[in-house]
Each structure stands twice: as C-alpha cells, then as structure tokens.
Amino acid sequence: MTKYVINPAYILKNDKKRVILCNKEQVDENIRYQSCFSFIHPTNAQFLSFFNGKDSLEQIKRKIANFFGLSLESTENITKKYIENPQSFSIKHQDQWMFFPENMIVNKELVHQYDVYSVEDFKSITEIDLKTDRLSAPLYINYNMIFTCFTNCIYCYANRKMKIDQYLSLERILSIVKEAKSIGVLDFSINGGEVLLHPHIYEVVKALLKNNYQPGISTKIPLSYDQIVSLKEIGIKSIQISLDSVRISTLKQSIGVEDDYMEKMKRTIEYLNKEKIEITIHNIVTSYNSNMEEFKEFVSFLSAYECVKKIRVSAAGYTLYEQTNYANIRTSEKYMEILRDFINTFKYDYPNISFTMSSGAEKKEFNGESKKDFFDRRGLCSGNVRSIIILPDGKVTICEELYDHPKFVIGDLKKHSIEEVWNSDVAKKLYYLDQNALPHITACKDCAEFHYCRQGKGVCWKVILMAYGKDNWDYPDPRCPKAPVCQNEIWLSSIN
C-alpha cells in the first residue's frame, strides 16, 4: 500500500497572512525537486498537510473530501495534480498566482526523512495577503562573527576600517540562535572575517547544529590535524576552503601570504580528506590568476582528493572598501567566457567534482540598450525582505557589504529581539521608502513605477553605492534605464 508525503526538499511555513512554500536550505535526500519560493493560500497548505505518511491514498482522499466538503470525484481530480507531478503548475487566487513546484508529493518509500504538518498549523490565518513580498519575520540570517582576517586579500570586499567596540557575548549569541529557531528561521549561516579566529566559534557552531542549522565554515587558514578532528567531533561534515591557485607566487601577490602557505594548505586538504570531511573549494579570479594553464594545474591538484566535491569559481568584484584599485585586479569578460567554455568541457574529465561559476558584472549590464533587459530580469533583493545580517557587535543591517552605513542599520540585537528589529519602524520605513522624502533630485524622485520597483524586486543598494558613492544611496539601481551614467567602473574589464 503506497503512502505519500510532501517532498522533503520543500517546506511549508506559516507567515501570518499566508503560507510560504519554499526549498529547505539543506536537502539530503536524493530526490527530484526544483527551486521555488511561493506564497500559497492556507487552504492549499491544509490540503497538503493530509499527506502525512501514515494514511493510504484512499484514506487521504476521503479525509480531504470530508474536511473541505468536496465530492470524491473532485478530490481525485485535485489530488492527482500534486502527486509526483512531472512539471510545476500555478493556481490563481483572485489576482495573484500561487506556484507549486514539480514532484510536490512523493512516495514515502523514496525518502528517509520528511516533515509532517497538521491542518491546525495553518488554521489561524484569516486575513490573506499573497502580494506583499516582505515577510512577517526573516527566513534567513547571516551572522558576520568577526572582522579579523588571516590573509590580506587584494580583492577583499570588507570594511577593514570598521572598528568593533564590544562583540556580542556568547550568552547573547546562543539566545539569538534559540530565538531564530523559535520564529522559524530556515537558515542561520556564519561568515567573517575569518570565523575560525572567533573565540567562541566551537560553541556557536555546536548551538547552530543542535538547532538543525548547517552554518557552513569557509576558511583560508591552514588547519592542524587536531583542529580538523575537533571540528568533526562537534558535527562539521563539510567545509569550504578559499584557494585561488596552487602557485605560491600568485598567492603571495593576491592574498599576501608567506612562502610556506601552499604547503600548509596541502596538508590541510590532506587532513580533511583523511577525516572524510567534504570539501568545497572557492576560487576567486583576478588579473593575477587569469591563466588557463594555472587553472588546469589547480583542478588537477584538487582532483587527487576524494573529498573535494565542489569547485566554485567567482570573478573578483568591485568593493565599497577597496584595498587595491579594482581596475588593476579585475579579470576580463573574455577570460571568464573562455573559462566558462573550458569548464563546460573540462568537467567531464572530473565527474566526481561539481563545478559552479559566477562570471561577474559586465559593462553591458550598466550601459547601452541592453541594460533594461538586465534590470527587468534582476533577482529579488532579499535584504529586509527575507533576510538580515548580524554584525559582530549585534547591529543588524540588510546586506553584508553595507556594514554600518546609517541608512541600512535597522536595529541592535543587544537591545532588542530579532522580531522587534524586523518589525521596527526603521526597517519598515526602509522597505516602504517615502518617494517624496528622497533627499536628491534623481530619476526615482518622480518615477511612476517607484513603488512597484522598490516593493517588488527592489534594487541592489550595494551596487547603487558602488556606482554612485556612499552618499547617493537614494539613486536608482544603475541597471535601470532611467539611471545616470555610473561614476565608477564596477564591471569586469572589456579589454581582451
């Protein structure tokens, strides 16, 4: 007798005026799913909650029919749309569309773990809002633990001049993690600086793991065998190593390390491999390592280690806090194109390694006729809509690269709870920005699409500041067709 459950890659979350249907951050199951984020009616969530893994399909149909006052025939027609559906589909509620991803309901025997819901979980929702993008509480939190670094990277995007007078206490950090879990935060990640230099890193990671978060550790520090064993003992199963080359001459120029750094990193990877900790390698491309032969050496070296499962390649981007003139360190559009084509062929020689690539910003995104297309296709800015960033001192901002810019600090977790910060007047005023109160006469000041733009996909505040300077926060997104010419070249070199 086949029993069915909600695909464990998807989660349902009560968001007070609607239900969020989205992906889990960590999906351990080997089952087909697709990327999704949708607001759905609580009635649809209640319908899905009947697939609990306990009842047979016939029992589920009868219960759904009785609960909603439907005929068995109608219930049959509705149910079959969701079970192992090969394609996504949408349902319209008034003037809004609800999106349901492929393979929504699956055979219980195909999964190891799954979530069980009750109709009571969504019964309290009476006032329905499927339109407003900003959530009732954040889903994603990134805790910027520390600004101290081990290396001196020429492409560093951090504000190294920012000083922290008082870091969050361990007690407060642990209470924030508990609150995050209690309000339904799906992902709680950590970054730096160098997180392994934080004095309470082990205690914080333990707390996150205990609350079913997978914080992720990214490091450039050569680790001892004892350190790696300690990380494994507290539950770390994977780690990201940031490594841009295997040539020490390149590393000395680009991240400011000593002559023995690469030998130490080799030992680190060997230790991780020995302890079977999965390794993701993050490779930053600059003018210093834009060399195809060097990249081949890099991948060849890493492929010798069974636990190297992923290689992420990213072009170094423009930063608000430049350590080096970006024009001198950026790679070219042409090289990234060559590298992408090469990886698409090269990856078949290394079937056990997953390659992903971020090519970086190109000039055509900000200039010429094509920029409207880029603007229309931009992704949603999740800051202050779905996510927040916690700084080392407990201040809360909306983007990890905006740091303490006064326009984007929305609260302080030393003084308030996550929910109080999220629902503060400062946070809401930033989201519901008053067009008439903008200090500069810009294209946004009298734009008829202002509210649709700002409360829809939004703008990338970081890119605005990069393009026009930190004082011009109220300017349009530079990809907008109405935006003025960028004051800074924030894109890759267009010179081959």
Side-chain angles (χ1 to χ4, degrees):
M1 181 176 60
T2 304
K3 296 181 180 180
Y4 291 94
V5 295
I6 295 173
N7 189 325
Y10 307 130
I11 192 167
L12 300 174
K13 183 180 184 300
N14 187 326
D15 193 49
K16 294 189 177 179
K17 294 185 179 182
R18 63 282 182 97
V19 175
I20 300 168
L21 167 59
C22 65
N23 300 112
K24 289 182 179 177
E25 285 299 297
Q26 299 289 329
V27 181
D28 296 327
E29 305 286 347
N30 185 23
I31 192 165
R32 179 171 55 87
Y33 69 98
Q34 104 185 82
S35 177
C36 72
F37 192 100
S38 175
F39 297 135
I40 66 173
H41 197 284
T43 299
N44 296 83
Q46 289 178 323
F47 164 81
L48 292 169
S49 71
F50 282 95
F51 294 88
N52 56 18
K54 298 177 181 178
D55 299 325
S56 70
L57 184 57
E58 291 307 314
Q59 289 173 320
I60 288 173
K61 289 176 184 175
R62 286 197 293 272
K63 287 184 177 182
I64 289 173
N66 289 334
F67 184 83
F68 291 106
L70 301 171
S71 67
L72 282 174
E73 182 181 3
S74 296
T75 303
E76 168 72 26
N77 291 332
I78 294 169
T79 301
K80 66 184 181 183
K81 291 176 64 176
Y82 294 83
I83 297 177
E84 297 172 340
N85 52 306
Q87 295 179 325
S88 61
F89 62 91
S90 295
I91 299 173
K92 194 171 187 180
H93 173 73
Q94 296 179 351
D95 61 341
Q96 298 296 312
W97 288 94
M98 299 180 291
F99 173 84
F100 294 88
E102 63 184 43
N103 217 25
M104 185 72 229
I105 303 294
V106 298
N107 185 336
K108 176 185 174 182
E109 298 302 316
L110 299 178
V111 301
H112 298 98
Q113 295 181 320
Y114 55 89
D115 294 316
V116 176
Y117 301 91
S118 162
V119 294
E120 298 298 321
D121 294 334
F122 314 108
K123 199 171 183 180
S124 61
I125 305 174
T126 53
E127 183 184 349
I128 307 301
D129 177 8
L130 302 182
K131 187 174 183 180
T132 305
D133 283 313
R134 192 172 194 271
L135 308 183
S136 64
L139 273 187
Y140 313 109
I141 290 178
N142 185 343
Y143 173 31
N144 194 326
M145 298 185 71
I146 189 170
F147 289 158
T148 306
C149 285
F150 179 79
T151 54
N152 184 26
C153 305
I154 57 170
Y155 49 78
C156 180
Y157 64 74
N159 181 4
R160 297 188 185 182
K161 294 180 180 179
M162 185 176 173
K163 303 299 181 184
I164 299 298
D165 294 327
Q166 185 180 6
Y167 281 72
L168 282 172
S169 67
L170 177 59
E171 180 183 18
R172 182 61 184 125
I173 297 169
L174 299 183
S175 68
I176 289 169
V177 173
K178 287 181 181 178
E179 186 194 350
K181 187 66 177 179
S182 71
I183 65 174
V185 171
L186 296 186
D187 181 60
F188 198 123
S189 58
I190 57 175
N191 71 349
E194 176 57 69
V195 294
L196 293 179
L197 295 177
H198 193 282
H200 302 303
I201 181 61
Y202 292 101
E203 295 93 333
V204 172
V205 170
K206 279 183 192 177
L208 290 168
L209 292 170
K210 183 179 178 180
N211 286 278
N212 296 318
Y213 293 120
Q214 298 296 324
I217 290 176
S218 179
T219 185
K220 282 183 168 146
I221 294 182
L223 301 175
S224 69
Y225 183 67
D226 288 344
Q227 284 176 301
I228 289 167
V229 170
S230 296
L231 288 170
K232 185 177 180 179
E233 286 176 347
I234 65 173
I236 292 297
K237 298 177 181 178
S238 62
I239 194 166
Q240 178 172 286
I241 300 291
S242 296
L243 188 64
D244 303 332
S245 177
V246 293
R247 296 182 181 180
I248 189 60
S249 57
T250 299
L251 296 174
K252 288 174 70 174
Q253 286 181 300
S254 61
I255 64 173
V257 291
E258 301 296 328
D259 290 338
D260 60 350
Y261 178 79
M262 190 59 221
E263 288 302 317
K264 289 180 178 179
M265 290 307 295
K266 285 180 182 179
R267 286 198 294 273
T268 296
I269 294 172
E270 287 168 2
Y271 296 151
L272 290 167
N273 200 63
K274 179 180 178 180
E275 291 301 317
K276 300 189 183 306
I277 295 177
E278 185 174 298
I279 305 168
T280 294
I281 300 291
H282 191 198
N283 177 268
I284 303 294
V285 183
T286 66
S287 58
Y288 291 95
N289 63 345
S290 295
N291 181 312
M292 197 58 65
E293 290 304 314
E294 187 168 354
F295 185 74
K296 289 178 185 178
E297 289 176 24
F298 178 76
V299 177
S300 178
F301 161 73
L302 294 169
S303 67
Y305 299 97
E306 183 183 357
C307 286
V308 174
K309 300 295 186 183
K310 301 174 185 175
I311 297 178
R312 296 174 53 217
V313 180
S314 305
Y318 186 95
T319 79
L320 287 167
Y321 317 98
E322 287 187 270
Q323 319 304 324
T324 307
N325 190 327
Y326 183 58
N328 295 332
I329 70 164
R330 60 183 175 175
T331 189
S332 68
E333 295 177 15
K334 184 62 176 178
Y335 178 76
M336 294 306 291
E337 180 183 341
I338 292 170
L339 186 57
R340 180 181 293 279
D341 290 343
F342 178 74
I343 286 175
N344 286 337
T345 303
F346 193 55
K347 64 184 179 183
Y348 295 108
D349 294 330
Y350 302 98
N352 296 323
I353 299 177
S354 170
F355 291 84
T356 59
M357 184 171 175
S358 175
S359 296
E362 297 184 1
K363 187 175 181 178
K364 62 185 177 183
E365 296 181 40
F366 307 95
N367 296 276
E369 297 178 359
S370 62
K371 77 173 188 173
K372 183 180 186 305
D373 293 332
F374 283 100
F375 188 63
D376 291 343
R377 290 187 282 110
R378 73 195 187 279
L380 173 79
C381 175
S382 66
N384 199 31
V385 179
R386 300 176 186 172
S387 64
I388 56 172
I389 308 296
I390 305 173
L391 298 176
D393 61 356
K395 296 283 197 321
V396 177
T397 183
I398 68 168
C399 173
E400 66 172 323
E401 294 190 44
L402 295 176
Y403 294 97
D404 59 345
H405 192 296
K407 288 295 178 182
F408 305 105
V409 173
I410 60 173
D412 188 343
L413 290 180
K414 278 204 185 90
K415 302 174 183 177
H416 301 103
S417 68
I418 297 171
E419 283 194 298
E420 287 171 338
V421 169
W422 183 261
N423 293 304
S424 66
D425 288 342
V426 176
K428 289 181 179 179
K429 283 179 181 177
L430 183 59
Y431 179 73
Y432 297 103
L433 194 63
D434 185 352
Q435 185 178 18
N436 295 323
L438 295 180
H440 296 106
I441 304 300
T442 72
C444 293
K445 190 78 170 181
D446 57 1
C447 179
E449 298 179 0
F450 180 83
H451 296 292
Y452 170 78
C453 171
R454 296 299 179 115
Q455 292 161 32
K457 291 183 178 179
V459 296
C460 182
W461 299 100
K462 175 189 73 174
V463 171
I464 292 172
L465 269 59
M466 287 177 176
Y468 303 115
K470 296 176 188 176
D471 293 333
N472 296 324
W473 63 273
D474 58 326
Y475 271 43
D477 189 302
R479 295 165 294 182
C480 173
K482 299 177 183 178
V485 174
C486 294
Q487 296 174 10
N488 302 309
E489 289 193 6
I490 63 176
W491 46 82
L492 301 181
S493 170
S494 55
I495 301 172
N496 295 341

